[in-house]
């Protein structure tokens, strides 16, 4: 069975079924059409469950069939249930599927930052090459610009500012990913800034202060940026290599996953902003502040790997969930 040809031949029918199942009001003719399309799509799904090697195609069509079935039997969508499903299935599943991309971004980002930090801290010519001023004491001294950055605003105002800024950076990384180069530039400049600051603080003998102010919020914040960058680059690569789908279908499919990641990162960045606004500048001992960031980071990663793996496993066995439709005839 040629899955690509089969999908192309019936995709318009599946799209029409999805549109009808989402409409608030149906005319009599549309209701009849919904039932007819549901029966046909159920049979086509049964064939794909047997022959298709693509779990995402089967899972997507299973969702359409399930939605149509719910409309036919008169069940209405539960908004809260949809929200819960998004955060237990949709968002972590999308992040987990992009795992290789954002881990690759994380390794490259941290390598670039570490490289610049080492260069600036051990080579006097680095500052001149990077166009830095000769005296950077105003930045690195105790109570200097690096530290006062976290305390010059009220906690709530600073948390809101940080959340807005990080959400904007993540959105750019996600949705400019289709162009690839802007995302690479954005990630490089952020890695450069962190690396140069770390190098200057290390040269001043204040690396402990650097990590003490960066890590409480930075672990979760940078993870969110890595995810955004990786998902954005994956979207851009889909345009270059759409795989078995047409280019338009592949980009639209990956775009939905990218949008899910964008929505899910909003509360993630809110937590990072609250940490940066209230924990980072607090009077807590440095180990306690870092521990708060570590707990948030560990909880987020555990959530992504546990719920994401479960979501992918559920999608992979979606055929079993819809097995009863094999008995429906046209």
């Amino acid at each position: 069975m040629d899955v690509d040809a089969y999908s192309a031949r019936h995709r318009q029918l599946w799209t029409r079924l999805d549109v009808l199942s989402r409409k608030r009001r149906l005319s009599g003719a549309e209701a009849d059409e919904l039932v007819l399309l549901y029966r046909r799509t159920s049979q086509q799904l049964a064939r794909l469950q047997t022959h298709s090697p693509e779990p995402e195609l089967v899972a997507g069509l299973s969702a359409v069939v399930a939605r149509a079935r719910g409309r036919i039997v008169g069940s209405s969508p539960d908004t809260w249930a949809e929200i819960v499903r998004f955060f237990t299935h949709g968002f972590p599943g999308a992040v987990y599927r992009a795992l290789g991309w954002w881990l690759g971004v994380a390794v490259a980002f941290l390598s670039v930052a570490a490289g610049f930090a080492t260069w600036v801290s051990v080579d006097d010519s680095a500052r001149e090459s990077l166009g830095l001023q000769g005296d950077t004491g105003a930045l690195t001294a105790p109570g200097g610009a690096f530290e006062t950055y976290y305390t010059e605003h009220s906690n709530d105002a600073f948390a809101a500012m940080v959340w807005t800024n990080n959400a904007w950076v993540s959105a750019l990384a996600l949705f400019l990913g289709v162009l690839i180069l802007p995302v690479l530039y954005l990630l490089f400049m952020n890695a450069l800034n962190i690396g140069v600051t770390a190098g200057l603080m290390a040269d001043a003998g204040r690396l402990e202060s650097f990590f003490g102010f960066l890590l409480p919020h930075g672990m979760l914040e940078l993870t969110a940026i890595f995810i955004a960058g990786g998902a954005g680059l994956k979207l851009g690569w889909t345009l270059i290599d759409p795989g078995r789908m047409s280019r338009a279908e592949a980009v639209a499919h990956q775009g939905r996953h990218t949008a899910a990641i964008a929505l899910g990162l909003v509360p993630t960045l809110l937590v990072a902003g609250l940490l940066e606004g209230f924990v980072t500048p607090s009077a807590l001992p440095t180990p306690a502040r870092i521990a708060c960031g570590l707990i948030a980071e560990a909880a987020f990663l555990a959530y992504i790997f546990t719920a994401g793996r479960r979501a992918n496993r559920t999608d992979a066995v979606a055929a079993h969930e819809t097995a009863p439709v094999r008995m429906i005839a046209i």
Side-chain angles (χ1 to χ4, degrees):
M1 177 182 181
D2 188 333
V3 175
D4 288 338
Y6 190 81
S7 299
R9 186 163 64 251
H10 297 292
R11 192 168 298 278
Q12 186 174 0
L13 180 151
W14 301 340
T15 301
R16 176 60 177 168
L17 176 63
D18 192 37
V19 169
L20 289 175
S21 64
R22 293 176 185 272
K23 287 189 68 174
R24 289 184 175 274
R25 297 176 180 273
L26 295 175
S27 65
E30 287 175 332
D32 291 340
E33 183 183 8
L34 174 66
V35 174
L36 178 61
L37 293 181
Y38 166 72
R39 295 177 64 192
R40 289 181 176 176
T41 304
S42 296
Q43 186 180 58
Q44 291 156 6
L45 173 61
R47 292 195 65 192
L48 285 173
Q49 289 167 350
T50 303
H51 300 285
S52 176
E54 298 183 20
E56 287 192 8
L57 173 62
V58 173
L61 191 55
S62 296
V64 173
V65 170
R67 190 179 299 111
R69 182 191 300 119
R71 187 63 187 273
I72 290 171
V73 301
S75 61
S76 57
D78 185 335
T79 302
W80 285 110
E82 289 295 323
I83 293 174
V84 170
R85 177 172 171 77
F86 173 78
F87 283 106
T88 59
H89 187 97
F91 170 61
V95 174
Y96 190 82
R97 280 189 287 272
L99 178 64
W101 288 88
W102 59 266
L103 284 182
V105 167
V107 171
F109 185 102
L110 295 176
S111 297
V112 170
F116 276 106
T118 302
W119 183 35
V120 170
S121 66
V122 302
D123 189 346
D124 292 336
S125 66
R127 300 189 185 194
E128 182 179 353
S129 300
L130 293 170
L132 300 174
Q133 297 179 353
D135 183 12
T136 56
L139 173 70
T140 60
F146 177 76
E147 295 179 3
T148 57
Y149 167 76
Y150 297 100
T151 57
E152 60 186 352
H153 300 286
S154 64
N155 292 354
D156 52 352
F158 185 57
M161 180 183 70
V162 167
W163 180 32
T164 302
N165 178 71
N166 290 338
W168 174 245
V169 171
S170 298
L172 289 177
L174 279 162
F175 294 109
L176 288 180
V178 72
L179 303 177
I180 296 181
L181 290 180
V183 176
L184 293 177
Y185 175 78
L186 181 68
L187 293 170
F188 175 79
M189 292 306 297
N190 276 273
L192 171 65
N193 289 335
I194 291 176
V196 169
T197 303
L200 293 175
M201 294 291 283
D203 186 50
R206 305 206 63 243
L207 200 57
E208 180 181 351
S209 176
F210 172 79
F211 286 116
F213 278 92
L214 178 67
L215 291 181
H217 64 276
M219 288 184 281
L220 185 60
E221 179 182 301
L222 287 175
T223 299
I225 291 175
F226 297 156
I227 291 171
L233 291 174
K234 185 179 182 182
L235 178 63
W237 186 253
T238 300
L239 184 63
I240 297 174
D241 181 14
R244 299 169 64 90
M245 300 182 183
S246 70
R247 185 164 278 102
E249 290 172 346
V251 170
H253 178 77
Q254 184 56 38
R256 288 191 290 273
H257 291 304
T258 303
I261 291 175
L263 183 59
L265 286 180
V266 171
T268 306
L269 290 170
L270 173 60
V271 174
L274 292 174
L275 288 170
E276 189 166 0
F278 292 91
V279 176
T280 297
S282 71
L284 290 171
T286 297
R289 288 187 281 118
I290 293 177
C292 290
L294 185 61
I295 290 171
E297 173 74 353
F300 178 74
L301 291 178
Y303 157 63
I304 290 299
F305 280 91
T306 302
R309 187 182 296 113
R310 185 186 304 119
N312 275 334
R313 188 182 302 119
T314 300
D315 290 344
V317 299
H320 297 290
E321 298 177 359
T322 53
V325 302
R326 294 176 183 270
M327 303 301 296
I328 300 176
I330 297 179

